Amino acid sequence: MCAYKSTATFEERGIRPPPRESATVGESDLTFIHLRDGDDVGLLQYVRSGGIAFPHIMIPDALQLRGVAQPTISSAETAVDRSSDDQLEQDGAGIMLQGRETDEPDSALTTLISHALWLWNAKQNVTELINRAQTRSLLAAESWLPAPMAQMIFGQVPGTASAAKADAMEAEETEGHRKMLAKTDGPISCVAWHPHRSLLAIAHRATDCVFLYDLASDTWCSNVLQNAYMQGITSMAWQPNCGYALAVGCTTGVCMWNIMPASVAPVSFHRSAASVSVLAFSNSGQWLVAGHQTHGHLTVWDVALGTATPLKRSGSTSRSATLQIGISPNDRYLVSTHANGQLRLWETENWSSQVWSDFNASVTGFTWSPDSRSVYFAIADCADIYALALYKAPPSLDAEVTLVTTFEAHAAAVSEDGDDLERVRVGGSIKALALDPQGQRLVVSFDDSSASGDISLLAVYLVNSDALFRAGGDASALMPLGYVRGPNWGKQPKLEEASSESALRAEKSSKKKRVRVGTPTPSWFGFSPNFESGALLTVAWANGKISFVPMLFASRFSRTQ
């Protein structure tokens, strides 16, 4: 690992964070515009100068959906969406549900499902009886045989000494599930932009439903995606070049949806692949890659053939769980990160790979550059931003990890007016990052372990990826640009009165207003793949609001050196 030329920090460039009572509406002429609540004059000036203002949308914590069954797999009545026809079709990949409304509870399908559930319950009861008998035999055998030998003869069942290791592994996998589901806060599990449309898929955490929002028309689509199999949503991915096909990854597998815009009841089918943590489609739409919570193997599906190929490289326990997958824009490479600290680079021609595992912690986030030559990433409990630079043409795996820059945590005043300065401490460990499709803006968020910093802020860099491949150049790959703050936080609690005269004098002498760490924090952020005027940052906040921050720039070289 080598260190690259370090650029000036946010503090050295005099970039101040926005006040807590303001929200960022966009970027124009390399300057971010922050407006306070009710500043209609400032908003009008921003729009007249060429700025674009987008509305915020709100996702509540709790939802009661009318006409949509609540998801469960223990009830025959709700195993199939009540708003869809009771028609069950089989295909080589899994189960397909589709149709129209019906009010016939005693239909043939309902009877079939009831019989299937009865058989499933009977099998569970028989299995329990067999396990009890097997347990008694194994307990007796372990009294006079070594545990490994008894396990080989009678098998591994719960409640015995020979199953202790298996129980520990199961508990570890369960903990991995819990951590994966708790990696984001708020009512929004994840968000996915359609690759060719202004369509946004939003997964609701409490109901395990997916809602569709059209930004161009500022309307919600009538399609609500919900299925009994779709529980614990962890990721989503639209299939490129395939209309409206959406893959939803969850703890029970992958649900594929072919959405018909004119139909209220979409078509869905379920592919069995347990404990999916992350999904990614190739940019051609030909194959889908899934990572898992219980192990580090990847699964590659050929969409046309419906076949799955496992890639077994990164461990078979939840300690190697896949955290993130990213396919290069040219489809020639894939990067996967794992809970054991591995960053693995794959070439997609023969699926060979190279791994980097000498980091002190796991990689928290990464993003590809649009030319497929570099990957920016960050590491847990660290304020550094790294780059994985590929120096040769595909399928070569000749690459090098470079330290690009470090975000220096600091306290900064948010206003220069008056003597009573509001100061905010920004920075800390980097939690996630995203690069716009043109490769000009890199956005980073900070981890909540940075208790002293305002983690509700996003920091934005100007990007010049060509500098990574320039020998002895003076240009920096990343240059500080500004901050993004979310929607108004509302009224803040009043400052507590000083309990003594000495405390009051200290407060007056400091001339500083103490600021509570801001909330809500960003739970997800990314860029729209289609925005002609520059880049459109989309941020889902922990309070359920989603904001759109346009960054307007004319060309790839509109930057200062």
Side-chain angles (χ1 to χ4, degrees), residues 11 14-21 36 409-427 451-457 483 485 495 507 509-518:
E11 185 177 19
I15 299 175
R16 299 177 181 271
R20 285 176 50 85
E21 296 79 12
R36 296 178 183 270
H410 62 282
V414 300
S415 174
E416 297 180 351
D417 300 330
D419 296 331
D420 190 15
L421 298 181
E422 178 185 346
R423 298 185 67 85
V424 173
R425 182 170 181 81
V426 296
S452 60
D454 188 348
I455 60 173
S456 60
L457 290 171
Y483 295 101
R485 189 181 285 284
L495 297 174
E507 182 71 18
S509 61
S510 65
K511 292 184 179 180
K512 298 176 183 178
K513 184 185 298 181
R514 295 184 180 180
V515 178
R516 183 174 57 87
V517 174

Side-chain angles (χ1 to χ4, degrees), residues 107 167 179 209 232 241 249 286 303 350 379 430 507:
S107 63
D167 292 340
K179 289 182 178 180
C209 292
N241 307 316
Q286 295 180 352
V303 178
N350 301 307
I379 299 173
I430 295 177
E507 182 71 18

Side-chain angles (χ1 to χ4, degrees), residues 4 14 130 133 178 185-186 194 257-258 260-261 269 301 328 337 365 402 415 428 435 494 525 547 553:
Y4 188 69
I130 295 175
R178 187 192 65 80
D185 298 322
H194 192 283
W257 295 86
N258 293 319
M260 309 301 176
F269 63 89
W301 274 297
S328 63
T337 61
T402 301
S415 174
L435 183 65
K494 294 182 179 180
F525 60 94
S547 58
F553 45 85

Side-chain angles (χ1 to χ4, degrees), residues 20-59:
R20 285 176 50 85
E21 296 79 12
S22 65
T24 305
V25 295
E27 175 211 337
S28 180
D29 297 328
L30 302 178
T31 302
F32 283 94
I33 310 300
H34 314 286
L35 299 179
R36 296 178 183 270
D37 187 20
D39 188 1
D40 296 336
V41 176
L43 181 60
L44 182 60
Q45 292 177 349
Y46 165 72
V47 173
R48 285 180 174 177
S49 63
I52 305 175
F54 289 95
H56 297 149
I57 58 178
M58 185 71 186
I59 306 295

